[in-house]
Amino acid sequence: EAGVAQSPRYKIIEKRQSVAFWCNPISGHATLYWYQQILGQGPKLLIQFQNNGVVDDSQLPKDRFSAERLKGVDSTLKIQPAKLEDSAVYLCASSPGVTGKETQYFGPGTRLLVL
Amino acid sequence: ILNVEQSPQSLHVQEGDSTNFTCSFPSSNFYALHWYRWETAKSPEALFVMTLNGDEKKKGRISATLNTKEGYSYLYIKGSQPEDSATYLCAFSTSGTYKYIFGTGTRLKVLA
C-alpha cells in the first residue's frame, strides 16, 4: 500500500512570497489533515477535510493560508504572502474515517524556511 | 484550552539502557491516546492507539501503559538501540470533537 505523498520536501522562500504544498493521501482515505509543526512545538492542526468538505479550519490563518481538496483526493495548502513565523514543517496525514480512535498516516512533510 | 505535555523534552541514553517517557493529558472527555515515532527525514509512524483505562500495548521492545483517570501514559523502551533514536509524539483525542491534540514530543538519542 502506497503511503501519503507530499511535495516538495524542502522549500526556501523570502518573506512576502507565495508557496504551495501538495499532498496525495492513501487511496480510499476519507479524511485528510494538514498540520504545522514549528521547531520545539507539537504538530498543530491547520485544517481537516472529510472527503472534499472542511470539518475543522479553526486554527488556519485564513488571511494568508488557504487549502483545498480536489474531488476528495489530493490536497494543496497555500501560503500567500509568507511571513518569517511560517517557517515550519508542514505535515499531511490521512485516515479512513474521523472517529478519533483511528490511526493517522503521515507523509514525510515539507520543510519550509522563510527568509 | 486542552494541553498535552510530554516529558522529558529530550534525553540521551547509552545503547542497551532502558528508558521511559511520560505523556500527560486532560482526564476529562478522554477518547483515545496515540503514540507516534518520528525519525529524522521520515514520516511519523504510528506505534499504539490506546482507549481503555489500564490498557497495556507492546510492540517488540516498546510498550505503553494508559491511566485515563489520572491523565497519563508511559512509553517504555527496553534495551535501547541506536535505531530507536527519534522523536516520540503522543496525541490525545476527545470525545465529541475527536480532534487530535499533539504533545511537543520527547527527542531520544541512543548512543552506540
Side-chain angles (χ1 to χ4, degrees), chain B residues 2-16:
Chain B
L2 297 174
N3 203 31
V4 177
E5 295 184 358
Q6 290 188 247
S7 62
Q9 281 191 324
S10 66
L11 75 162
H12 292 70
V13 301
Q14 293 291 327
E15 183 177 357

Side-chain angles (χ1 to χ4, degrees), chain B residues 1-108:
Chain B
I1 297 176
L2 297 174
N3 203 31
V4 177
E5 295 184 358
Q6 290 188 247
S7 62
Q9 281 191 324
S10 66
L11 75 162
H12 292 70
V13 301
Q14 293 291 327
E15 183 177 357
D17 287 352
S18 293
T19 187
N20 64 84
F21 329 130
T22 304
C23 173
S24 300
F25 52 86
S27 55
S28 59
N29 298 320
F30 174 85
Y31 196 63
L33 193 284
H34 302 255
W35 281 101
Y36 290 86
R37 174 171 59 198
W38 191 3
E39 294 179 65
T40 302
K42 294 188 177 179
S43 306
E45 170 199 1
L47 290 173
F48 306 115
V49 179
M50 308 176 79
T51 58
L52 298 175
N53 186 44
D55 250 357
E56 291 188 25
K57 301 270 184 168
K58 188 173 180 183
K59 186 177 182 178
R61 295 178 291 99
I62 304 177
S63 60
T65 60
L66 179 68
N67 184 323
T68 61
K69 293 184 179 179
E70 295 183 39
Y72 65 84
S73 175
Y74 293 141
L75 187 80
Y76 301 92
I77 302 178
K78 184 178 178 182
S80 302
Q81 300 296 309
E83 57 265 31
D84 296 327
S85 297
T87 295
Y88 291 82
L89 290 166
C90 68
F92 158 79
S93 60
T94 59
S95 57
T97 67
Y98 304 135
K99 187 180 291 189
Y100 294 75
I101 301 165
F102 281 85
T104 54
T106 293
R107 287 184 298 281
L108 172 67

Side-chain angles (χ1 to χ4, degrees), chain A residues 48-69:
Chain A
Q48 177 180 338
F49 292 95
Q50 177 84 1
N51 297 311
N52 59 353
V54 175
V55 173
D56 184 350
D57 63 357
S58 57
Q59 298 192 95
L60 185 74
K62 298 180 184 67
D63 58 333
R64 298 185 300 106
F65 285 64
S66 63
E68 60 179 0
R69 189 176 184 193

Side-chain angles (χ1 to χ4, degrees), chain A residues 4-7 21-25 32-34 73-76 92-93:
Chain A
V4 176
Q6 287 188 249
S7 68
F21 313 130
W22 173 81
C23 173
N24 181 237
L32 186 147
Y33 311 81
W34 282 103
V73 182
D74 291 7
S75 178
T76 55
C92 178

Side-chain angles (χ1 to χ4, degrees), chain A residues 4-44:
Chain A
V4 176
Q6 287 188 249
S7 68
R9 292 293 306 273
Y10 305 92
K11 190 75 178 178
I12 301 174
I13 61 173
E14 295 190 350
K15 61 183 179 184
R16 292 188 288 273
Q17 286 187 320
S18 302
V19 65
F21 313 130
W22 173 81
C23 173
N24 181 237
I26 291 173
S27 177
H29 279 193
T31 309
L32 186 147
Y33 311 81
W34 282 103
Y35 289 92
Q36 178 193 57
Q37 197 243 349
I38 293 172
L39 190 64
Q41 300 179 21
K44 180 182 84 171

